[in-house]
Amino acid sequence: MFSVTVRDHIMIAHSFTGEVFGPAQRLHGATFVVDATFRRPDLDDDNIVVDIGKASEQLHTVCHGLSYRNLDDDPEFTGVNTSTEFLAKIIADRLAVRIHAGEFGRGASGLTGISITLHESHIAWATYERTLR
Amino acid sequence: MFSVTVRDHIMIAHSFTGEVFGPAQRLHGATFVVDATFRRPDLDDDNIVVDIGKASEQLHTVCHGLSYRNLDDDPEFTGVNTSTEFLAKIIADRLAVRIHAGEFGRGASGLTGISITLHESHIAWATYERTLR
Amino acid sequence: MFSVTVRDHIMIAHSFTGEVFGPAQRLHGATFVVDATFRRPDLDDDNIVVDIGKASEQLHTVCHGLSYRNLDDDPEFTGVNTSTEFLAKIIADRLAVRIHAGEFGRGASGLTGISITLHESHIAWATYERTLR
Amino acid sequence: MFSVTVRDHIMIAHSFTGEVFGPAQRLHGATFVVDATFRRPDLDDDNIVVDIGKASEQLHTVCHGLSYRNLDDDPEFTGVNTSTEFLAKIIADRLAVRIHAGEFGRGASGLTGISITLHESHIAWATYERTLR
Amino acid sequence: MFSVTVRDHIMIAHSFTGEVFGPAQRLHGATFVVDATFRRPDLDDDNIVVDIGKASEQLHTVCHGLSYRNLDDDPEFTGVNTSTEFLAKIIADRLAVRIHAGEFGRGASGLTGISITLHESHIAWATYERTLR
Amino acid sequence: MFSVTVRDHIMIAHSFTGEVFGPAQRLHGATFVVDATFRRPDLDDDNIVVDIGKASEQLHTVCHGLSYRNLDDDPEFTGVNTSTEFLAKIIADRLAVRIHAGEFGRGASGLTGISITLHESHIAWATYERTLR
């Protein structure tokens, strides 16, 4: 199995609902360093997993749609705790839609899985992993 | 599949038995930067994998039980090579006991797996991975 | 010259005023990984720069006073752009007050300088450096 | 499942063929920081995954065979895009041959899998993973 | 003293002349992760060291002028060993020209120094530091 | 000013004397990732700060002299707290002796300073810096 990972980041504000979150129930924020991993069992005709230029651009576009915002104000996230693990899934699913729509180029049709890791600090990170087919 | 990872560390002395260990047969020591990863297929009602506060505390408690010690003097490790990979299993198993005992909170009952990575230097690390059910 | 550095982090929300900040004029947030460096020309009687336990605790206390907050709501920062470089100075100055107040222990009277680095992402960080006498 | 990882690096020149590579079609180069992970379900009689000294030496030997070279001039790679993901496979396969030849010592017969990650920059890396039996 | 650092990278091919370079006399290559640090004693009217957006863009432009190339073919470097430390100076000097030309914006007139660090692997890096006035 | 840094590591056991050290008064251990920085105002005739091959070898030799040992048993350290900051000085001074003895090659006569940083964990490190003339 092969994979390629590209890194970007987002900077957001949000708050959480639920006692389990302690002081993070207050409005605060985070930098999430975002690692997007693309997987497939065999390389394409160019001997690569994915066009890394396109993968970086697409990840940047998805990150741009989330960054420099207060996620509490985003209608898509009303009533939802935008936890690190949940945001990893949001980014994975948005990338999956773009892969299926052909935004990653022809060769990307061979991709079989994707993982997203969000690093929230030097001592904590979360990952969501899914198939693409 | 979702996961959350928290990081802590231990500083221990120990020695190894066996020619394969070369100079590490002498009493020496190590800092192990410890990454504990908790896994589950779906998020809980709070939209998280695990209460990260509790997970950090529990990892710290387990690390505290090992740190600032000469492991050669610990009766639990008599006659055992406390290799990096072995210590990863020790930490994973101790965390698993605590998860089953409810120390990670009610939501943690949904956890299905755990991995522990111990970084012994900038050029070497080891991982142990197990299921929780 | 000797120095010792300890690391902690804060997670905050804020917004900026001024065209130079572009999309960061919107309410957003950041994780700042905070490195606090303490400097002195000679070691103390215990052969150390500073009691690292106390230094870690004091840094944690200062970080705790800033973290999980919307800095826009903090009266101390009204009308101020809480840029990464500015926050580095805030943390340095608060630590300096605590050093002078004796919170770092007797040995810390030999400290001559302090630097604070705030990492805002994997591609950007800022430092403020000052003397202590 | 247990694993141990050791790190080394190579510095190479190469060029790519295909529009997908953009400016990387020109002769350029890369440092690849190479992480080699060895996996097995149980530890050996010494309580380890693999003799880490031998694993480091063998990885160094394989890296040495690739480093400080223009891969475009290597007959083995004629007409091949030596992409990061492809080079990960080359290194994995060369290590597998050496494991099967006994170069990692007797205990290494229990190894069941290997992964190679090549970091090409702070924002991109690739992995190849295979079984050993 | 305040500073802000931004990170980018270049991927180049080159060879060295001189026995001291050993196998690096052959055509090979490197990824250099480039950290550009900008320094000044006081913050500007926006409470910052430099417009970080402009600083990132300018660093990217300078990196772009060097990347995906065989430096041996660059007339500017004929007969010169393009060592890591030398390339750090090249990048610093090119950024200094751009700062003086106003490309970093009005506020950048207060910058007093610049440092460039080039990381060539996980075990080696080089820095060049200069004043701006 | 130019500098070049190379990285190595040591793994040692030791204990400390003095209440300030808390649980670290017990025999324990540490991995120290060691960064050795060599400084000079101008490059040598080969356009470098120092022969990086020799610098790496010399650092490795000095690290080898300390590693896989219980420092409490080393006569040179009797009655001394082998703190991180103290060990940074030991390594710096041993490298300085070797530079002056010509072990770094002819070009190294231009070196004017050296810094040693010892990373003891992901959240703590210490540096010692000295001149060479």
Side-chain angles (χ1 to χ4, degrees), chain F residues 7-52:
Chain F
R7 175 170 281 190
D8 208 314
H9 74 287
I10 59 175
M11 301 180 85
I12 56 94
H14 61 171
S15 62
F16 295 131
T17 301
E19 274 179 47
V20 70
F21 295 104
Q25 294 174 85
R26 299 198 296 256
L27 182 63
H28 64 288
T31 305
F32 294 113
V33 174
V34 181
D35 294 337
T37 299
F38 305 92
R39 249 188 306 274
R40 61 191 297 164
D42 298 293
L43 298 180
D44 73 7
D45 294 347
D46 290 310
N47 228 18
I48 55 176
V49 164
V50 68
D51 178 340
I52 197 171

Side-chain angles (χ1 to χ4, degrees), chain A residues 62-94:
Chain A
V62 168
C63 285
H64 181 77
L66 290 167
S67 204
Y68 294 117
R69 288 170 209 281
N70 179 358
L71 299 185
D72 294 354
D73 292 341
D74 188 323
E76 189 165 355
F77 302 135
T78 303
V80 171
N81 280 322
T82 53
S83 64
T84 312
E85 43 272 58
F86 172 77
L87 289 173
K89 183 175 190 308
I90 291 291
I91 293 174
D93 290 347
R94 291 184 180 180

Side-chain angles (χ1 to χ4, degrees), chain B residues 20-21 80-81 83 85-86 89 122-129, chain D residues 1-7 35 43 46-52:
Chain B
V20 70
F21 295 103
V80 172
N81 279 322
S83 65
E85 42 272 59
F86 172 79
K89 183 174 190 307
H122 64 302
I123 52 169
W125 53 97
T127 298
Y128 173 70
E129 182 172 356
Chain D
M1 179 65 68
F2 291 91
S3 71
V4 161
T5 303
V6 290
R7 175 170 281 190
D35 294 337
L43 299 180
D46 290 311
N47 228 20
I48 55 175
V49 164
V50 68
D51 178 340
I52 197 171

Side-chain angles (χ1 to χ4, degrees), chain C residues 11-33:
Chain C
M11 302 181 84
I12 57 94
H14 60 171
S15 63
F16 295 132
T17 302
E19 274 180 46
V20 71
F21 295 103
Q25 294 174 86
R26 298 198 297 255
L27 182 62
H28 64 288
T31 306
F32 293 114
V33 175

Side-chain angles (χ1 to χ4, degrees), chain F residues 29-94:
Chain F
T31 305
F32 294 113
V33 174
V34 181
D35 294 337
T37 299
F38 305 92
R39 249 188 306 274
R40 61 191 297 164
D42 298 293
L43 298 180
D44 73 7
D45 294 347
D46 290 310
N47 228 18
I48 55 176
V49 164
V50 68
D51 178 340
I52 197 171
K54 281 207 171 62
S56 299
E57 276 169 31
Q58 291 295 316
L59 177 61
H60 194 68
T61 300
V62 169
C63 286
H64 181 77
L66 290 167
S67 204
Y68 294 116
R69 288 169 209 282
N70 178 359
L71 299 185
D72 293 354
D73 292 340
D74 188 324
E76 189 166 352
F77 303 135
T78 303
V80 172
N81 280 322
T82 53
S83 65
T84 312
E85 42 272 60
F86 173 78
L87 289 173
K89 183 175 190 307
I90 290 290
I91 293 173
D93 290 348
R94 290 184 180 181

Side-chain angles (χ1 to χ4, degrees), chain A residues 25-68:
Chain A
Q25 294 175 84
R26 299 198 297 256
L27 182 62
H28 64 288
T31 305
F32 294 114
V33 175
V34 182
D35 295 337
T37 299
F38 304 92
R39 250 188 306 275
R40 62 191 297 165
D42 298 293
L43 299 180
D44 73 7
D45 294 348
D46 290 310
N47 228 20
I48 55 176
V49 164
V50 68
D51 179 341
I52 198 171
K54 282 207 171 62
S56 299
E57 276 168 31
Q58 292 295 317
L59 177 61
H60 195 67
T61 301
V62 168
C63 285
H64 181 77
L66 290 167
S67 204
Y68 294 117

